Amino acid sequence: EAEVAQSPRYKITEKSQAVAFWCDPISGHATLYWYRQILGQGPELLVQFQDESVVDDSQLPKDRFSAERLKGVDSTLKIQPAELGDSAMYLCASSPGLAGVRETQYFGPGTRLLVL
Amino acid sequence: GNSVTQMEGPVTLSEEAFLTINCTYTATGYPSLFWYVQYPGEGLQLLLKATKADDKGSNKGFEATYRKETTSFHLEKGSVQVSDSAVYFCALRSGGMTGNQFYFGTGTSLTVIP
């Protein structure tokens, strides 16, 4: 069964350092999402791509976060500089992008970030 | 606006007990509704979904019925097992200005004891 791949699974960094996360969606999925999940809370959408274009980044802290999906396949989320409050699970999800509101998202295993 | 409200946890049940996790929603238009499950240290897995009113989603003994009149999508299971211990998230997908967006509840932690 096809899965969403993410790496690394765990990342420890010091504040003010740069950190990057990678996501490879299910093959053929046009829509890709990055979420942040703080411990004990539900996922919060950071950015949504349709192919290589950003369709929603209204909740992305653009002063320090950036995301790209250059060829419309895999994606990278970067934080620079990292702050203590960025410690969270970063989840990537994908969906086919064809079925509208009925469509299901499929999640990767996540990257657990700890900022010291 | 769109939002999901779940019953607060944590919930602790004995094995074979009946489970209900309440979920209500607020949405514009006609959303689809989902339940996701998250095991410790892992991402979210789709448990079940329903895309229109009165639909019942079911999987692995879990069920939820899309109730438009009460704007609810409560999760139920007749007999829980230790392996069901996880965090359960209710979510909706609704059309928006920037495309179809997901909204998640805060999650309900379930622990099943032998």
Side-chain angles (χ1 to χ4, degrees), chain A residues 9 33 35 37 40 42-43 55-56 91 100-105 107-109, chain B residues 32 34 36 38 41-44 46 49 89 93-94 98 100-102 104-106:
Chain A
R9 291 293 307 274
Y33 313 78
Y35 288 89
Q37 185 183 20
V55 296
D56 186 358
L91 295 166
V101 74
R102 293 182 174 79
E103 200 159 271
T104 300
Q105 286 184 114
F107 283 83
Chain B
S32 293
F34 303 80
Y36 282 85
Q38 186 175 35
E42 298 184 10
L44 279 68
L46 176 68
K49 72 176 186 180
F89 291 92
R93 182 164 197 168
S94 182
T98 55
N100 299 312
Q101 298 179 341
F102 272 82
F104 286 87
T106 54

PDB file of all heavy atoms in Angstrom, chain A residues 9 33 35 37 40 42-43 55-56 91 100-105 107-109, chain B residues 32 34 36 38 41-44 46 49 89 93-94 98 100-102 104-106:
ATOM      1  N   ARG A   9      12.539  11.398  11.017  1.00  0.00           N
ATOM      2  CA  ARG A   9      11.451  11.105  11.950  1.00  0.00           C
ATOM      3  C   ARG A   9      11.588  11.937  13.217  1.00  0.00           C
ATOM      4  O   ARG A   9      10.587  12.318  13.824  1.00  0.00           O
ATOM      5  CB  ARG A   9      11.451   9.627  12.310  1.00  0.00           C
ATOM      6  CG  ARG A   9      11.046   8.700  11.178  1.00  0.00           C
ATOM      7  CD  ARG A   9       9.567   8.888  10.789  1.00  0.00           C
ATOM      8  NE  ARG A   9       8.653   8.790  11.910  1.00  0.00           N
ATOM      9  CZ  ARG A   9       8.148   7.649  12.354  1.00  0.00           C
ATOM     10  NH1 ARG A   9       8.471   6.505  11.785  1.00  0.00           N
ATOM     11  NH2 ARG A   9       7.311   7.642  13.386  1.00  0.00           N
ATOM     12  N   TYR A  33      -0.165  18.723   1.879  1.00  0.00           N
ATOM     13  CA  TYR A  33      -0.421  19.578   3.038  1.00  0.00           C
ATOM     14  C   TYR A  33       0.707  19.415   4.053  1.00  0.00           C
ATOM     15  O   TYR A  33       1.193  18.317   4.277  1.00  0.00           O
ATOM     16  CB  TYR A  33      -1.710  19.163   3.755  1.00  0.00           C
ATOM     17  CG  TYR A  33      -2.915  18.915   2.889  1.00  0.00           C
ATOM     18  CD1 TYR A  33      -3.049  17.729   2.169  1.00  0.00           C
ATOM     19  CD2 TYR A  33      -3.944  19.845   2.823  1.00  0.00           C
ATOM     20  CE1 TYR A  33      -4.167  17.494   1.397  1.00  0.00           C
ATOM     21  CE2 TYR A  33      -5.074  19.611   2.052  1.00  0.00           C
ATOM     22  CZ  TYR A  33      -5.176  18.432   1.342  1.00  0.00           C
ATOM     23  OH  TYR A  33      -6.297  18.191   0.579  1.00  0.00           O
ATOM     24  N   TYR A  35       1.163  20.182   8.141  1.00  0.00           N
ATOM     25  CA  TYR A  35       0.471  20.528   9.385  1.00  0.00           C
ATOM     26  C   TYR A  35       1.487  20.603  10.520  1.00  0.00           C
ATOM     27  O   TYR A  35       2.502  19.908  10.520  1.00  0.00           O
ATOM     28  CB  TYR A  35      -0.544  19.454   9.772  1.00  0.00           C
ATOM     29  CG  TYR A  35      -1.786  19.387   8.918  1.00  0.00           C
ATOM     30  CD1 TYR A  35      -1.824  18.590   7.783  1.00  0.00           C
ATOM     31  CD2 TYR A  35      -2.937  20.094   9.272  1.00  0.00           C
ATOM     32  CE1 TYR A  35      -2.970  18.514   7.011  1.00  0.00           C
ATOM     33  CE2 TYR A  35      -4.092  20.021   8.511  1.00  0.00           C
ATOM     34  CZ  TYR A  35      -4.095  19.227   7.383  1.00  0.00           C
ATOM     35  OH  TYR A  35      -5.247  19.148   6.630  1.00  0.00           O
ATOM     36  N   GLN A  37       1.418  19.958  14.663  1.00  0.00           N
ATOM     37  CA  GLN A  37       0.604  19.426  15.751  1.00  0.00           C
ATOM     38  C   GLN A  37       1.348  19.592  17.062  1.00  0.00           C
ATOM     39  O   GLN A  37       2.357  18.931  17.307  1.00  0.00           O
ATOM     40  CB  GLN A  37       0.273  17.950  15.515  1.00  0.00           C
ATOM     41  CG  GLN A  37      -0.667  17.380  16.568  1.00  0.00           C
ATOM     42  CD  GLN A  37      -0.953  15.907  16.381  1.00  0.00           C
ATOM     43  OE1 GLN A  37      -0.212  15.194  15.717  1.00  0.00           O
ATOM     44  NE2 GLN A  37      -2.048  15.449  16.952  1.00  0.00           N
ATOM     45  N   GLY A  40      -0.936  17.299  22.428  1.00  0.00           N
ATOM     46  CA  GLY A  40      -2.244  17.406  23.061  1.00  0.00           C
ATOM     47  C   GLY A  40      -3.268  18.173  22.248  1.00  0.00           C
ATOM     48  O   GLY A  40      -4.393  18.402  22.723  1.00  0.00           O
ATOM     49  N   GLY A  42      -4.986  19.101  18.077  1.00  0.00           N
ATOM     50  CA  GLY A  42      -5.183  18.597  16.737  1.00  0.00           C
ATOM     51  C   GLY A  42      -4.247  19.269  15.750  1.00  0.00           C
ATOM     52  O   GLY A  42      -3.650  20.303  16.052  1.00  0.00           O
ATOM     53  N   PRO A  43      -4.089  18.686  14.580  1.00  0.00           N
ATOM     54  CA  PRO A  43      -3.221  19.288  13.556  1.00  0.00           C
ATOM     55  C   PRO A  43      -3.752  20.646  13.102  1.00  0.00           C
ATOM     56  O   PRO A  43      -4.954  20.843  12.986  1.00  0.00           O
ATOM     57  CB  PRO A  43      -3.273  18.278  12.413  1.00  0.00           C
ATOM     58  CG  PRO A  43      -3.744  17.000  13.014  1.00  0.00           C
ATOM     59  CD  PRO A  43      -4.655  17.395  14.127  1.00  0.00           C
ATOM     60  N   VAL A  55      -1.863  27.021  -2.447  1.00  0.00           N
ATOM     61  CA  VAL A  55      -3.248  27.469  -2.482  1.00  0.00           C
ATOM     62  C   VAL A  55      -3.705  28.046  -1.146  1.00  0.00           C
ATOM     63  O   VAL A  55      -4.711  28.743  -1.088  1.00  0.00           O
ATOM     64  CB  VAL A  55      -4.208  26.353  -2.928  1.00  0.00           C
ATOM     65  CG1 VAL A  55      -3.927  25.930  -4.343  1.00  0.00           C
ATOM     66  CG2 VAL A  55      -4.155  25.162  -1.997  1.00  0.00           C
ATOM     67  N   ASP A  56      -2.977  27.757  -0.081  1.00  0.00           N
ATOM     68  CA  ASP A  56      -3.301  28.310   1.227  1.00  0.00           C
ATOM     69  C   ASP A  56      -2.059  28.292   2.100  1.00  0.00           C
ATOM     70  O   ASP A  56      -1.544  27.224   2.395  1.00  0.00           O
ATOM     71  CB  ASP A  56      -4.432  27.526   1.886  1.00  0.00           C
ATOM     72  CG  ASP A  56      -4.910  28.158   3.198  1.00  0.00           C
ATOM     73  OD1 ASP A  56      -4.340  29.181   3.623  1.00  0.00           O
ATOM     74  OD2 ASP A  56      -5.863  27.629   3.798  1.00  0.00           O
ATOM     75  N   LEU A  91       3.487  17.239  10.397  1.00  0.00           N
ATOM     76  CA  LEU A  91       2.844  16.186   9.628  1.00  0.00           C
ATOM     77  C   LEU A  91       2.666  16.612   8.183  1.00  0.00           C
ATOM     78  O   LEU A  91       2.268  17.744   7.910  1.00  0.00           O
ATOM     79  CB  LEU A  91       1.468  15.866  10.210  1.00  0.00           C
ATOM     80  CG  LEU A  91       1.443  15.277  11.611  1.00  0.00           C
ATOM     81  CD1 LEU A  91       0.039  15.342  12.193  1.00  0.00           C
ATOM     82  CD2 LEU A  91       1.929  13.835  11.603  1.00  0.00           C
ATOM     83  N   GLY A 100     -12.636  16.829  -4.601  1.00  0.00           N
ATOM     84  CA  GLY A 100     -13.203  17.937  -3.862  1.00  0.00           C
ATOM     85  C   GLY A 100     -13.447  17.619  -2.406  1.00  0.00           C
ATOM     86  O   GLY A 100     -12.627  17.011  -1.740  1.00  0.00           O
ATOM     87  N   VAL A 101     -14.616  18.006  -1.928  1.00  0.00           N
ATOM     88  CA  VAL A 101     -14.885  17.955  -0.502  1.00  0.00           C
ATOM     89  C   VAL A 101     -14.963  16.519   0.010  1.00  0.00           C
ATOM     90  O   VAL A 101     -14.819  16.263   1.203  1.00  0.00           O
ATOM     91  CB  VAL A 101     -16.167  18.744  -0.185  1.00  0.00           C
ATOM     92  CG1 VAL A 101     -17.411  17.967  -0.633  1.00  0.00           C
ATOM     93  CG2 VAL A 101     -16.257  19.101   1.265  1.00  0.00           C
ATOM     94  N   ARG A 102     -15.191  15.546  -0.869  1.00  0.00           N
ATOM     95  CA  ARG A 102     -15.283  14.159  -0.423  1.00  0.00           C
ATOM     96  C   ARG A 102     -13.922  13.502  -0.249  1.00  0.00           C
ATOM     97  O   ARG A 102     -13.825  12.364   0.199  1.00  0.00           O
ATOM     98  CB  ARG A 102     -16.092  13.346  -1.428  1.00  0.00           C
ATOM     99  CG  ARG A 102     -17.548  13.731  -1.492  1.00  0.00           C
ATOM    100  CD  ARG A 102     -18.299  12.839  -2.483  1.00  0.00           C
ATOM    101  NE  ARG A 102     -19.711  13.101  -2.465  1.00  0.00           N
ATOM    102  CZ  ARG A 102     -20.289  14.127  -3.070  1.00  0.00           C
ATOM    103  NH1 ARG A 102     -19.565  14.993  -3.737  1.00  0.00           N
ATOM    104  NH2 ARG A 102     -21.592  14.310  -3.003  1.00  0.00           N
ATOM    105  N   GLU A 103     -12.870  14.209  -0.595  1.00  0.00           N
ATOM    106  CA  GLU A 103     -11.561  13.588  -0.669  1.00  0.00           C
ATOM    107  C   GLU A 103     -10.939  13.324   0.696  1.00  0.00           C
ATOM    108  O   GLU A 103     -11.034  14.136   1.610  1.00  0.00           O
ATOM    109  CB  GLU A 103     -10.645  14.503  -1.470  1.00  0.00           C
ATOM    110  CG  GLU A 103      -9.434  13.830  -2.023  1.00  0.00           C
ATOM    111  CD  GLU A 103      -8.898  14.628  -3.183  1.00  0.00           C
ATOM    112  OE1 GLU A 103      -9.336  14.375  -4.307  1.00  0.00           O
ATOM    113  OE2 GLU A 103      -8.062  15.506  -2.937  1.00  0.00           O
ATOM    114  N   THR A 104     -10.228  12.199   0.791  1.00  0.00           N
ATOM    115  CA  THR A 104      -9.547  11.808   2.023  1.00  0.00           C
ATOM    116  C   THR A 104      -8.098  12.239   1.960  1.00  0.00           C
ATOM    117  O   THR A 104      -7.463  12.155   0.910  1.00  0.00           O
ATOM    118  CB  THR A 104      -9.623  10.279   2.184  1.00  0.00           C
ATOM    119  OG1 THR A 104     -10.985   9.888   2.244  1.00  0.00           O
ATOM    120  CG2 THR A 104      -8.902   9.830   3.446  1.00  0.00           C
ATOM    121  N   GLN A 105      -7.555  12.663   3.085  1.00  0.00           N
ATOM    122  CA  GLN A 105      -6.132  12.918   3.223  1.00  0.00           C
ATOM    123  C   GLN A 105      -5.450  11.698   3.796  1.00  0.00           C
ATOM    124  O   GLN A 105      -6.002  11.028   4.671  1.00  0.00           O
ATOM    125  CB  GLN A 105      -5.876  14.065   4.186  1.00  0.00           C
ATOM    126  CG  GLN A 105      -6.178  15.421   3.664  1.00  0.00           C
ATOM    127  CD  GLN A 105      -5.794  16.456   4.690  1.00  0.00           C
ATOM    128  OE1 GLN A 105      -4.896  17.248   4.494  1.00  0.00           O
ATOM    129  NE2 GLN A 105      -6.470  16.430   5.810  1.00  0.00           N
ATOM    130  N   PHE A 107      -1.906  10.610   5.725  1.00  0.00           N
ATOM    131  CA  PHE A 107      -0.832  11.233   6.483  1.00  0.00           C
ATOM    132  C   PHE A 107       0.430  10.390   6.497  1.00  0.00           C
ATOM    133  O   PHE A 107       0.380   9.154   6.500  1.00  0.00           O
ATOM    134  CB  PHE A 107      -1.276  11.460   7.933  1.00  0.00           C
ATOM    135  CG  PHE A 107      -2.197  12.625   8.104  1.00  0.00           C
ATOM    136  CD1 PHE A 107      -3.553  12.498   7.868  1.00  0.00           C
ATOM    137  CD2 PHE A 107      -1.706  13.856   8.505  1.00  0.00           C
ATOM    138  CE1 PHE A 107      -4.404  13.579   8.024  1.00  0.00           C
ATOM    139  CE2 PHE A 107      -2.549  14.941   8.670  1.00  0.00           C
ATOM    140  CZ  PHE A 107      -3.899  14.804   8.422  1.00  0.00           C
ATOM    141  N   GLY A 108       1.556  11.075   6.551  1.00  0.00           N
ATOM    142  CA  GLY A 108       2.827  10.442   6.815  1.00  0.00           C
ATOM    143  C   GLY A 108       3.029  10.237   8.311  1.00  0.00           C
ATOM    144  O   GLY A 108       2.192  10.644   9.119  1.00  0.00           O
ATOM    145  N   PRO A 109       4.169   9.638   8.705  1.00  0.00           N
ATOM    146  CA  PRO A 109       4.426   9.335  10.113  1.00  0.00           C
ATOM    147  C   PRO A 109       4.800  10.560  10.938  1.00  0.00           C
ATOM    148  O   PRO A 109       4.786  10.499  12.168  1.00  0.00           O
ATOM    149  CB  PRO A 109       5.587   8.352  10.053  1.00  0.00           C
ATOM    150  CG  PRO A 109       6.284   8.694   8.781  1.00  0.00           C
ATOM    151  CD  PRO A 109       5.217   9.122   7.824  1.00  0.00           C
TER     152      PRO A 109
ATOM    153  N   SER B  32     -17.797  16.950   4.302  1.00  0.00           N
ATOM    154  CA  SER B  32     -17.560  15.542   4.573  1.00  0.00           C
ATOM    155  C   SER B  32     -16.974  15.440   5.976  1.00  0.00           C
ATOM    156  O   SER B  32     -16.289  16.353   6.435  1.00  0.00           O
ATOM    157  CB  SER B  32     -16.581  14.949   3.557  1.00  0.00           C
ATOM    158  OG  SER B  32     -17.163  14.920   2.276  1.00  0.00           O
ATOM    159  N   PHE B  34     -14.927  12.990   9.008  1.00  0.00           N
ATOM    160  CA  PHE B  34     -13.914  11.947   9.119  1.00  0.00           C
ATOM    161  C   PHE B  34     -13.590  11.684  10.586  1.00  0.00           C
ATOM    162  O   PHE B  34     -13.680  12.569  11.431  1.00  0.00           O
ATOM    163  CB  PHE B  34     -12.599  12.401   8.443  1.00  0.00           C
ATOM    164  CG  PHE B  34     -12.743  12.777   6.988  1.00  0.00           C
ATOM    165  CD1 PHE B  34     -13.235  14.023   6.620  1.00  0.00           C
ATOM    166  CD2 PHE B  34     -12.373  11.885   6.001  1.00  0.00           C
ATOM    167  CE1 PHE B  34     -13.358  14.376   5.291  1.00  0.00           C
ATOM    168  CE2 PHE B  34     -12.492  12.227   4.661  1.00  0.00           C
ATOM    169  CZ  PHE B  34     -12.979  13.475   4.306  1.00  0.00           C
ATOM    170  N   TYR B  36     -10.120  10.150  12.410  1.00  0.00           N
ATOM    171  CA  TYR B  36      -8.741   9.683  12.282  1.00  0.00           C
ATOM    172  C   TYR B  36      -8.278   9.156  13.636  1.00  0.00           C
ATOM    173  O   TYR B  36      -8.726   9.631  14.687  1.00  0.00           O
ATOM    174  CB  TYR B  36      -7.809  10.812  11.850  1.00  0.00           C
ATOM    175  CG  TYR B  36      -7.861  11.162  10.377  1.00  0.00           C
ATOM    176  CD1 TYR B  36      -8.809  12.045   9.882  1.00  0.00           C
ATOM    177  CD2 TYR B  36      -6.945  10.600   9.490  1.00  0.00           C
ATOM    178  CE1 TYR B  36      -8.848  12.361   8.540  1.00  0.00           C
ATOM    179  CE2 TYR B  36      -6.972  10.917   8.133  1.00  0.00           C
ATOM    180  CZ  TYR B  36      -7.924  11.799   7.663  1.00  0.00           C
ATOM    181  OH  TYR B  36      -7.948  12.112   6.333  1.00  0.00           O
ATOM    182  N   GLN B  38      -4.686   8.199  15.919  1.00  0.00           N
ATOM    183  CA  GLN B  38      -3.240   8.415  16.019  1.00  0.00           C
ATOM    184  C   GLN B  38      -2.682   7.589  17.162  1.00  0.00           C
ATOM    185  O   GLN B  38      -3.033   7.806  18.325  1.00  0.00           O
ATOM    186  CB  GLN B  38      -2.929   9.895  16.227  1.00  0.00           C
ATOM    187  CG  GLN B  38      -1.441  10.229  16.194  1.00  0.00           C
ATOM    188  CD  GLN B  38      -1.172  11.714  16.294  1.00  0.00           C
ATOM    189  OE1 GLN B  38      -1.886  12.441  16.979  1.00  0.00           O
ATOM    190  NE2 GLN B  38      -0.144  12.180  15.614  1.00  0.00           N
ATOM    191  N   GLY B  41       3.424   8.413  18.794  1.00  0.00           N
ATOM    192  CA  GLY B  41       4.596   8.638  17.966  1.00  0.00           C
ATOM    193  C   GLY B  41       4.374   8.479  16.473  1.00  0.00           C
ATOM    194  O   GLY B  41       5.338   8.507  15.706  1.00  0.00           O
ATOM    195  N   GLU B  42       3.120   8.327  16.063  1.00  0.00           N
ATOM    196  CA  GLU B  42       2.838   8.101  14.646  1.00  0.00           C
ATOM    197  C   GLU B  42       1.964   9.204  14.071  1.00  0.00           C
ATOM    198  O   GLU B  42       1.435  10.050  14.789  1.00  0.00           O
ATOM    199  CB  GLU B  42       2.157   6.753  14.456  1.00  0.00           C
ATOM    200  CG  GLU B  42       3.015   5.578  14.900  1.00  0.00           C
ATOM    201  CD  GLU B  42       2.347   4.246  14.598  1.00  0.00           C
ATOM    202  OE1 GLU B  42       1.325   4.225  13.884  1.00  0.00           O
ATOM    203  OE2 GLU B  42       2.860   3.224  15.089  1.00  0.00           O
ATOM    204  N   GLY B  43       1.824   9.174  12.751  1.00  0.00           N
ATOM    205  CA  GLY B  43       0.922  10.105  12.081  1.00  0.00           C
ATOM    206  C   GLY B  43      -0.524   9.650  12.215  1.00  0.00           C
ATOM    207  O   GLY B  43      -0.822   8.649  12.882  1.00  0.00           O
ATOM    208  N   LEU B  44      -1.412  10.382  11.592  1.00  0.00           N
ATOM    209  CA  LEU B  44      -2.842  10.070  11.663  1.00  0.00           C
ATOM    210  C   LEU B  44      -3.217   9.054  10.602  1.00  0.00           C
ATOM    211  O   LEU B  44      -2.752   9.122   9.463  1.00  0.00           O
ATOM    212  CB  LEU B  44      -3.676  11.340  11.458  1.00  0.00           C
ATOM    213  CG  LEU B  44      -3.867  12.249  12.667  1.00  0.00           C
ATOM    214  CD1 LEU B  44      -2.578  12.903  13.083  1.00  0.00           C
ATOM    215  CD2 LEU B  44      -4.938  13.293  12.382  1.00  0.00           C
ATOM    216  N   LEU B  46      -6.597   7.279   8.685  1.00  0.00           N
ATOM    217  CA  LEU B  46      -8.039   7.383   8.480  1.00  0.00           C
ATOM    218  C   LEU B  46      -8.723   6.171   9.090  1.00  0.00           C
ATOM    219  O   LEU B  46      -8.357   5.028   8.809  1.00  0.00           O
ATOM    220  CB  LEU B  46      -8.361   7.464   6.995  1.00  0.00           C
ATOM    221  CG  LEU B  46      -9.852   7.489   6.661  1.00  0.00           C
ATOM    222  CD1 LEU B  46     -10.477   8.797   7.135  1.00  0.00           C
ATOM    223  CD2 LEU B  46     -10.066   7.306   5.171  1.00  0.00           C
ATOM    224  N   LYS B  49     -15.118   7.471   7.298  1.00  0.00           N
ATOM    225  CA  LYS B  49     -15.596   8.760   6.818  1.00  0.00           C
ATOM    226  C   LYS B  49     -17.036   8.639   6.336  1.00  0.00           C
ATOM    227  O   LYS B  49     -17.529   7.541   6.086  1.00  0.00           O
ATOM    228  CB  LYS B  49     -14.712   9.289   5.690  1.00  0.00           C
ATOM    229  CG  LYS B  49     -14.850   8.547   4.378  1.00  0.00           C
ATOM    230  CD  LYS B  49     -14.001   9.239   3.314  1.00  0.00           C
ATOM    231  CE  LYS B  49     -14.224   8.610   1.944  1.00  0.00           C
ATOM    232  NZ  LYS B  49     -13.406   9.262   0.886  1.00  0.00           N
ATOM    233  N   PHE B  89      -9.318  11.661  16.441  1.00  0.00           N
ATOM    234  CA  PHE B  89      -9.593  13.015  15.966  1.00  0.00           C
ATOM    235  C   PHE B  89     -10.795  13.003  15.029  1.00  0.00           C
ATOM    236  O   PHE B  89     -10.828  12.234  14.061  1.00  0.00           O
ATOM    237  CB  PHE B  89      -8.397  13.585  15.197  1.00  0.00           C
ATOM    238  CG  PHE B  89      -7.203  13.875  16.053  1.00  0.00           C
ATOM    239  CD1 PHE B  89      -6.217  12.917  16.217  1.00  0.00           C
ATOM    240  CD2 PHE B  89      -7.067  15.090  16.683  1.00  0.00           C
ATOM    241  CE1 PHE B  89      -5.105  13.171  17.009  1.00  0.00           C
ATOM    242  CE2 PHE B  89      -5.960  15.361  17.481  1.00  0.00           C
ATOM    243  CZ  PHE B  89      -4.984  14.394  17.642  1.00  0.00           C
ATOM    244  N   ARG B  93     -14.213  18.303   6.253  1.00  0.00           N
ATOM    245  CA  ARG B  93     -13.659  18.929   5.064  1.00  0.00           C
ATOM    246  C   ARG B  93     -14.777  19.720   4.413  1.00  0.00           C
ATOM    247  O   ARG B  93     -15.819  19.169   4.096  1.00  0.00           O
ATOM    248  CB  ARG B  93     -13.111  17.909   4.096  1.00  0.00           C
ATOM    249  CG  ARG B  93     -12.480  18.563   2.874  1.00  0.00           C
ATOM    250  CD  ARG B  93     -11.601  17.630   2.098  1.00  0.00           C
ATOM    251  NE  ARG B  93     -10.735  18.401   1.207  1.00  0.00           N
ATOM    252  CZ  ARG B  93      -9.705  17.897   0.569  1.00  0.00           C
ATOM    253  NH1 ARG B  93      -9.393  16.636   0.711  1.00  0.00           N
ATOM    254  NH2 ARG B  93      -8.962  18.660  -0.219  1.00  0.00           N
ATOM    255  N   SER B  94     -14.504  21.008   4.208  1.00  0.00           N
ATOM    256  CA  SER B  94     -15.517  21.882   3.667  1.00  0.00           C
ATOM    257  C   SER B  94     -14.919  22.754   2.592  1.00  0.00           C
ATOM    258  O   SER B  94     -13.757  23.142   2.694  1.00  0.00           O
ATOM    259  CB  SER B  94     -16.094  22.763   4.781  1.00  0.00           C
ATOM    260  OG  SER B  94     -17.115  23.597   4.305  1.00  0.00           O
ATOM    261  N   THR B  98     -10.149  29.248  -0.513  1.00  0.00           N
ATOM    262  CA  THR B  98      -8.861  28.843  -1.068  1.00  0.00           C
ATOM    263  C   THR B  98      -8.815  27.357  -1.362  1.00  0.00           C
ATOM    264  O   THR B  98      -7.757  26.773  -1.481  1.00  0.00           O
ATOM    265  CB  THR B  98      -7.721  29.217  -0.106  1.00  0.00           C
ATOM    266  OG1 THR B  98      -8.007  28.647   1.163  1.00  0.00           O
ATOM    267  CG2 THR B  98      -7.571  30.721   0.001  1.00  0.00           C
ATOM    268  N   ASN B 100     -10.631  23.232  -0.742  1.00  0.00           N
ATOM    269  CA  ASN B 100     -11.230  22.388   0.281  1.00  0.00           C
ATOM    270  C   ASN B 100     -10.271  22.234   1.453  1.00  0.00           C
ATOM    271  O   ASN B 100      -9.155  21.782   1.295  1.00  0.00           O
ATOM    272  CB  ASN B 100     -11.564  21.027  -0.319  1.00  0.00           C
ATOM    273  CG  ASN B 100     -12.560  21.170  -1.442  1.00  0.00           C
ATOM    274  OD1 ASN B 100     -13.557  21.838  -1.289  1.00  0.00           O
ATOM    275  ND2 ASN B 100     -12.272  20.557  -2.567  1.00  0.00           N
ATOM    276  N   GLN B 101     -10.718  22.610   2.629  1.00  0.00           N
ATOM    277  CA  GLN B 101      -9.861  22.623   3.790  1.00  0.00           C
ATOM    278  C   GLN B 101     -10.357  21.648   4.842  1.00  0.00           C
ATOM    279  O   GLN B 101     -11.546  21.427   4.989  1.00  0.00           O
ATOM    280  CB  GLN B 101      -9.812  24.027   4.382  1.00  0.00           C
ATOM    281  CG  GLN B 101      -9.244  25.055   3.430  1.00  0.00           C
ATOM    282  CD  GLN B 101      -9.242  26.439   4.032  1.00  0.00           C
ATOM    283  OE1 GLN B 101      -9.950  26.705   4.978  1.00  0.00           O
ATOM    284  NE2 GLN B 101      -8.425  27.313   3.486  1.00  0.00           N
ATOM    285  N   PHE B 102      -9.400  21.088   5.573  1.00  0.00           N
ATOM    286  CA  PHE B 102      -9.701  20.209   6.691  1.00  0.00           C
ATOM    287  C   PHE B 102      -9.650  20.996   7.994  1.00  0.00           C
ATOM    288  O   PHE B 102      -8.798  21.843   8.196  1.00  0.00           O
ATOM    289  CB  PHE B 102      -8.678  19.083   6.773  1.00  0.00           C
ATOM    290  CG  PHE B 102      -9.030  17.876   5.960  1.00  0.00           C
ATOM    291  CD1 PHE B 102      -8.752  17.845   4.611  1.00  0.00           C
ATOM    292  CD2 PHE B 102      -9.631  16.769   6.555  1.00  0.00           C
ATOM    293  CE1 PHE B 102      -9.076  16.728   3.850  1.00  0.00           C
ATOM    294  CE2 PHE B 102      -9.958  15.653   5.794  1.00  0.00           C
ATOM    295  CZ  PHE B 102      -9.666  15.631   4.445  1.00  0.00           C
ATOM    296  N   PHE B 104      -9.718  20.058  12.171  1.00  0.00           N
ATOM    297  CA  PHE B 104      -9.621  18.961  13.123  1.00  0.00           C
ATOM    298  C   PHE B 104     -10.085  19.396  14.504  1.00  0.00           C
ATOM    299  O   PHE B 104      -9.875  20.536  14.920  1.00  0.00           O
ATOM    300  CB  PHE B 104      -8.168  18.484  13.229  1.00  0.00           C
ATOM    301  CG  PHE B 104      -7.703  17.697  12.046  1.00  0.00           C
ATOM    302  CD1 PHE B 104      -7.171  18.343  10.943  1.00  0.00           C
ATOM    303  CD2 PHE B 104      -7.792  16.317  12.028  1.00  0.00           C
ATOM    304  CE1 PHE B 104      -6.738  17.624   9.843  1.00  0.00           C
ATOM    305  CE2 PHE B 104      -7.364  15.587  10.932  1.00  0.00           C
ATOM    306  CZ  PHE B 104      -6.839  16.238   9.836  1.00  0.00           C
ATOM    307  N   GLY B 105     -10.662  18.448  15.218  1.00  0.00           N
ATOM    308  CA  GLY B 105     -10.910  18.650  16.629  1.00  0.00           C
ATOM    309  C   GLY B 105      -9.613  18.504  17.411  1.00  0.00           C
ATOM    310  O   GLY B 105      -8.555  18.209  16.852  1.00  0.00           O
ATOM    311  N   THR B 106      -9.693  18.688  18.704  1.00  0.00           N
ATOM    312  CA  THR B 106      -8.502  18.665  19.548  1.00  0.00           C
ATOM    313  C   THR B 106      -8.068  17.262  19.934  1.00  0.00           C
ATOM    314  O   THR B 106      -7.002  17.078  20.521  1.00  0.00           O
ATOM    315  CB  THR B 106      -8.718  19.480  20.829  1.00  0.00           C
ATOM    316  OG1 THR B 106      -9.902  18.996  21.477  1.00  0.00           O
ATOM    317  CG2 THR B 106      -8.888  20.960  20.503  1.00  0.00           C
TER     318      THR B 106
END
